[in-house]
Amino acid sequence: MATRFKTPGLIGELAAEFAGTMILILFGVGVVAQVSAAGIGDHDSIAWAWGLGVTLGVYVAARVSGAHLNPAVTIALAVFKGFSWRKVAPYSIAQFLGAFVAALLVRWNYTEVLNAADPGLTIKTQGVFSTLPGNGTLPVGEWGAFRDQIIGTAILLFVILALTDMANTAPAANLGPVVIGLLVVAIGMAWGTNAGYAINPARDFGPRLASFLTGYGGAFRDQTGYLYFWIPIVGPIIGGVVGAGLYQTLIGRFLPSDAPQEPGEIPTPRDGNQTDENVEVRRG
C-alpha cells in the first residue's frame, strides 16, 4: 500500500524557510563575528562556515519548503520554474525574519567581544552583519559592488538549477545540499572581494536591520556614507533571474526528460535508487 504524506501547507513551508535561513545565518554571521572581532580564523574559515551553513540550512528545511533560504532563489523559480507567485512575498518575509532573528542571537552572544574590538560599533565591525563594497577597505565603488552581486548571484542560480534539474546529472544519495554548500564555498573564495558575496537579500538585510537596532547607527550606509543597503537586495534579485534564464537558455531546454518535472522540484532519495519529487531548489 502506498504511503501518503501530509502536505505541510503554507504555514509549514514558511516555518521551514524561517528555520532554515536562521540556521544559515547563525553559522555565517557567527563565523564573521569570530574572525573579525576575536581574530580567530581567516577568510577560508568564513567561506567554509558559510558553505556549511547553507548545507545544514537546506537539510533542515528542504523536505517541507524546498529550502530556498534566499529571495533571489524564490523569485528566479517563480519566473522560470513555475513556483507560485502568491508564495514569493511570504517566503521572502520568512527568510528575512529568519536572518534577522539569527543575527540578533549572534549580536547578543558576541556582545562582549564586539564591544571590546569596536567600542563605538563602527564600520570596523559593521561587516560582521552586512556586506560592504570592497569589504569596507578595498577601492571598490558602489556600482562595482552592484555589478559583482549580479554576477555572483547569476553563477549561484545557474549552478543550482544545474544541480537540481532531474533531467540533468543531479547529485545522488541526498547529497544535493552538500554540493550546493560547496558551490557557496567556491563563490566565497572566488567572488568575495568586491562586495562580500551576499548573493542573498535576506542574508544581508536581516542582519543589517538587526545591527542597526542594536547600536550600529551607520548600518545602512557604506564606508563612504553612501546609502548602500539596496545594492545587496536589488543586485542578487537581478542576478538570480539572469542566471536562471541563462541556464534555461543554454542547458535546460536541451536536456531530455522521460517524465514532466514538477515546477521547481528536485529529486530526493526513496527506496534506494528511486526518487521522489518533493523538494524545491534553494540557497545561498
Side-chain angles (χ1 to χ4, degrees):
M1 182 177 178
T3 302
R4 303 287 295 179
F5 294 97
K6 180 181 179 181
T7 302
L10 183 58
I11 296 300
E13 293 171 16
L14 299 183
E17 286 296 303
F18 173 89
T21 309
M22 184 172 66
I23 292 298
L24 162 62
I25 299 302
L26 285 173
F27 284 98
V29 172
V31 71
V32 183
Q34 181 168 270
V35 172
S36 297
I40 300 173
D42 54 20
H43 174 268
D44 286 354
S45 58
I46 290 174
W48 279 106
W50 273 108
L52 289 170
V54 168
T55 295
L56 297 172
V58 170
Y59 275 126
V60 164
R63 192 65 177 176
V64 176
S65 71
H68 298 185
L69 315 186
N70 182 344
V73 171
T74 302
I75 291 170
L77 290 180
V79 173
F80 290 104
K81 288 290 186 177
F83 184 74
S84 174
W85 278 103
R86 71 179 180 83
K87 293 184 179 181
V88 169
Y91 263 54
S92 298
I93 291 169
Q95 294 153 4
F96 280 120
L97 289 175
F100 175 75
V101 171
L104 286 178
L105 288 171
V106 172
R107 176 72 176 87
W108 180 35
N109 188 61
Y110 280 97
T111 296
E112 296 87 355
V113 175
L114 288 167
N115 286 339
D118 182 17
L121 300 179
T122 67
I123 198 76
K124 180 180 178 181
T125 57
Q126 182 179 318
V128 168
F129 299 95
S130 53
T131 59
L132 294 162
N135 291 311
T137 59
L138 298 172
V140 178
E142 289 80 17
W143 291 108
F146 185 67
R147 175 193 65 227
D148 173 88
Q149 285 302 285
I150 292 173
I151 296 171
T153 315
I155 294 170
L156 176 74
L157 264 295
F158 188 100
V159 179
I160 282 180
L161 291 192
L163 292 172
T164 57
D165 193 332
M166 290 175 63
N168 205 345
T169 53
N174 203 25
L175 289 177
V178 175
V179 182
I180 291 173
L182 291 174
L183 166 62
V184 174
V185 173
I187 291 174
M189 289 183 171
W191 292 85
T193 296
N194 282 8
Y197 74 108
I199 57 176
N200 181 340
R203 168 267 174 272
D204 193 85
F205 185 74
R208 192 181 293 272
L209 179 61
S211 66
F212 177 78
L213 294 176
T214 57
Y216 284 85
F220 290 100
R221 299 183 180 273
D222 65 15
Q223 62 269 27
T224 70
Y226 178 77
L227 198 63
Y228 180 79
F229 78 96
W230 67 271
I231 288 177
I233 296 175
V234 178
I237 291 172
I238 295 172
V241 173
V242 169
L246 285 173
Y247 174 78
Q248 291 296 103
T249 300
L250 299 175
I251 303 295
R253 67 193 180 105
F254 298 114
L255 290 171
S257 180
D258 293 331
Q261 182 178 346
E262 290 298 317
E265 294 186 343
I266 66 172
T268 55
R270 182 192 68 188
D271 297 334
N273 295 324
Q274 295 181 332
T275 61
D276 194 4
E277 303 92 10
N278 282 343
V279 184
E280 293 165 358
V281 298
R282 78 289 281 173
R283 174 219 164 153

